[in-house]
Amino acid sequence: MTAMGFENPVRTRAGRPRSVESRRAILQAAMLILQTQGYRALTIEGVAAKAGVSKQTIYRWWSSAAYIVLEALTSDPLQPPVPDTGGLHDDLLELIRPMVKALGARRGPIMKALIAEAQADARFAETLRTTFMAQHREALHALVGRAQMRGEIGFDADRELTADLVYGPMLYRLLNGHGPLDDAFAHAVTNAAVRMLKSTAGTPRIRAEAAE
């Protein structure tokens, strides 16, 4: 297991403690290269040189540059909390809008590169799905759960399908490039998701305390 709590094909050496400082320097170096030069410029050699560590140090913890990027994205301390505005529409918009904006800017090429990496590496694909992707899906699940407890939508609302309908259009537009990832798109996705969820509003509301 990594410090993030997920597995990847890392080559570790028993009995040798990890250096928190070196790990942080590697993650920061990788993100700096991404932001200034792009994913294609990201190499283990380049990260090692910028972080001031050896390639062997990196290979003890990550098997490829893609895993470094994934860890940096997943462990970002600046990740915002799940929105809680008191209403389903605004909660969804506050979740969707920053993601659309990020994909339309610097995060887009990085995400496309990680998705491409996943097509060539089944183990990386599984790690991407169970960490970064799962993190975002869980945020959406929590948001939908709160709306259910407020009585805005029914308890038969399909959280998994909702996540597909929210994140699928973003990634499709990112990969296909047929339309802009802008604020109008964020509003359109939000409105479509709300309409779908509201279609279950007639389901009887069952609170946990009522079932006891």
Side-chain angles (χ1 to χ4, degrees), residues 30-176:
M31 293 308 291
L32 182 60
I33 292 173
L34 281 173
Q35 292 167 3
T36 58
Q37 302 177 52
Y39 189 84
R40 289 187 178 182
L42 189 69
T43 63
I44 295 295
E45 292 78 5
V47 173
K50 190 167 288 292
V53 301
S54 67
K55 290 190 296 183
Q56 289 71 26
T57 296
I58 294 178
Y59 280 121
R60 281 204 305 273
W61 298 327
W62 299 280
S63 59
S64 72
Y67 282 101
I68 302 176
V69 176
L70 183 56
E71 179 162 338
L73 294 178
T74 310
S75 60
D76 184 357
L78 299 179
Q79 287 285 349
V82 179
D84 189 5
T85 67
L88 174 62
H89 179 277
D90 289 349
D91 279 356
L92 276 172
L93 184 59
E94 288 302 307
L95 180 74
I96 292 170
R97 177 185 275 158
M99 295 179 61
V100 168
K101 182 178 180 180
L103 289 175
R106 289 182 175 178
R107 185 62 61 85
I110 298 172
M111 198 66 227
K112 285 198 288 187
L114 292 181
I115 292 173
E117 188 80 20
Q119 307 315 300
D121 184 340
R123 297 183 72 181
F124 180 76
E126 175 67 8
T127 303
L128 178 65
R129 183 182 67 80
T130 58
T131 57
F132 183 79
M133 296 297 192
Q135 192 177 72
H136 288 284
R137 295 181 72 88
E138 288 166 7
L140 191 283
H141 293 168
L143 189 154
V144 171
R146 279 205 298 260
Q148 289 173 322
M149 294 305 295
R150 289 193 299 259
E152 290 185 83
I153 57 177
F155 277 85
D156 63 344
D158 190 331
R159 299 187 190 188
E160 292 297 335
L161 179 59
T162 303
D164 289 344
L165 293 176
V166 166
Y167 298 121
M170 297 184 202
L171 295 180
Y172 182 72
R173 185 163 288 208
L174 172 69
L175 296 175
N176 200 45

